[in-house]
Amino acid sequence: MPENNTTRSWLTIVIELVEVFFNSARQGKRGRTWHQHVVPYKNAWAVRREGNKRITSKHKLQTTAINKAKRLARKYQADVIIHREDGTIRDRIGYD
């Protein structure tokens, strides 16, 4: 089957789609970090990994949330970003 600008074989299309999928998957992993944010959450405090929508853990006190975030940050050589109740950043602790 001759190939031109308007018609391509299904195999060529599948190969291109697979290449795009794998290239985008590789790029996404490079940008991902393990930084842990301590954020206000429903009258309590939560630890959330940077970029995640879901929380990692929920705590009654900010100090217990900070301790959990520190353990995770040490394990993954990341940072802990501590937020105030209004959401602004209060402090950053690095474990690089």
Side-chain angles (χ1 to χ4, degrees):
M1 180 173 169
E3 196 172 318
N4 61 32
N5 289 341
T6 56
T7 60
R8 296 185 292 176
S9 72
W10 64 272
L11 185 58
T12 306
I13 294 170
V14 169
I15 290 171
E16 288 177 5
L17 286 173
V18 169
E19 286 175 352
V20 168
F21 174 77
F22 283 114
N23 288 337
S24 66
R26 267 190 258 138
Q27 288 173 352
K29 288 181 183 174
R30 271 187 249 139
R32 200 77 201 269
T33 66
W34 280 94
H35 300 318
Q36 303 296 319
H37 289 256
V38 177
V39 295
Y41 181 79
K42 297 183 181 178
N43 296 323
W45 293 91
V47 177
R48 177 179 288 142
R49 180 178 170 190
E50 190 168 284
N52 280 4
K53 292 178 184 175
R54 292 173 41 182
I55 64 171
T56 303
S57 58
K58 183 180 173 184
H59 307 270
K60 289 181 182 180
L61 301 175
Q62 188 183 36
T63 54
T64 55
I66 291 170
N67 290 335
K68 174 68 173 183
K70 284 181 177 180
R71 280 195 301 274
L72 290 168
R74 273 190 217 104
K75 181 177 180 180
Y76 295 106
Q77 297 177 344
D79 294 348
V80 175
I81 296 97
I82 303 167
H83 294 259
R84 293 184 182 94
E85 284 190 51
D86 65 1
T88 60
I89 295 176
R90 182 185 97 186
D91 198 9
R92 183 180 192 118
I93 304 166
Y95 292 98
D96 301 276

